[in-house]
Amino acid sequence: GLAAGLDKNGRCIDGLGAMGFGFIEVGTVTPRPQPGNPKPRLFRLAEDRAVINRMGFNNQGAEAACARLATRGSRAGVVGVNLGANKDATDRIADYARGAELLGRYAAYLVVNVSSPNTPGLRALQDEGALAALLDGVLAARGENGPPVFLKVAPDLEPADISAIARIAQEKRLGALIVSNTTITRPALKSARAGEAGGLSGAPLRDLAQARLIDFRRATGGEIPLVGVGGIASAEHAWARIRAGASLVQLYSALVYEGPGLARAITCGLEQLMKRDGFATLAEAVGVDVPC
């Protein structure tokens, strides 16, 4: 799948699907339009095959996204929508609920994004009490017959946070956990841009995202599907994430360095790796390296 961030406004869904992605995640979409953070706000770290961004949920708002999604009708393709709150929101739970109410009718799944480091205070919504209240608001706004709700988490979580999030996700019967967003940590980087503020993605995120996926696999006991994202740039990377517990994988930053053929290359490579390791289906391989 294509992770959120590239097609923030639902403008390129069918073209991106034609590149070989099995599903497209639109967004992050906020209820009202907002310009995002001042430019420059996106930096390529070519020496590290990485990206730092501090975009700040720049998007045209939920009504614009709804209008575009409505024109697709019954066209093929699995499309999820990633929800966020406006930077100046006085009630962030209400913002997420409003997004779920408006966009739920057009989405195969909704994502509650509380893990971006580029909106001040947003990650505090991952705290246990705040998260439970937020998910209650989103689930109520989505309605009983609405799409499944996923939660996207940060890779920079402490063990206690992981346990609490896993417990809440199970209690609220979420559709999946997306592990993970960008990191605010800075491993050893070569680029002169390494000190830029924002979230780091790409190759340096890979090991951290893999470790968090394993943590959530163990914390959930395999009872909630996991989506692996962060540093995936090859079929081997995707295969390692699947064997560690991911039912789905996403990518974004690797397109900068590998080009638009990456999704198809990974799909073909996964088929070969599956046969090499003796699995008849990808589902059989999910979590084989991390028993629950």
Side-chain angles (χ1 to χ4, degrees), residues 242-267:
I242 290 166
R243 292 182 63 108
S247 297
L248 299 168
V249 294
Q250 292 178 317
L251 59 86
Y252 177 5
S253 296
L255 291 172
V256 173
Y257 301 105
E258 304 296 336
L262 181 57
R264 293 195 186 282
I266 289 179
T267 300

Side-chain angles (χ1 to χ4, degrees), residues 235-236 239 268-279:
E236 288 78 10
W239 187 234
C268 293
L270 282 174
E271 185 176 9
Q272 296 169 3
L273 292 167
M274 181 181 70
K275 292 178 179 177
R276 182 199 68 185
D277 292 353
F279 293 99

Side-chain angles (χ1 to χ4, degrees), residues 106-162:
Y106 304 111
Y109 65 93
L110 294 170
V111 181
V112 175
N113 182 3
V114 292
S115 50
S116 169
N118 299 317
T119 297
L122 190 75
R123 285 190 170 191
L125 290 174
Q126 293 176 120
D127 294 343
E128 187 169 357
L131 182 59
L134 171 61
L135 291 173
D136 283 342
V138 170
L139 290 166
R142 175 208 60 176
E144 291 185 5
N145 299 317
V149 173
F150 297 4
L151 176 67
K152 187 165 186 174
V153 299
D156 313 311
L157 295 168
E158 298 296 329
D161 299 323
I162 293 168

Side-chain angles (χ1 to χ4, degrees), residues 64-124:
C66 285
R68 290 199 179 95
L69 290 167
T71 64
R72 296 192 72 250
S74 59
R75 270 184 279 181
V78 176
V79 179
V81 179
N82 188 296
L83 304 175
N86 283 106
K87 184 177 181 178
D88 61 353
T90 57
D91 185 344
R92 285 182 169 166
I93 292 177
D95 265 26
Y96 282 96
R98 180 59 175 159
E101 181 182 13
L102 289 172
L103 289 154
R105 72 194 73 174
Y106 304 111
Y109 65 93
L110 294 170
V111 181
V112 175
N113 182 3
V114 292
S115 50
S116 169
N118 299 317
T119 297
L122 190 75
R123 285 190 170 191

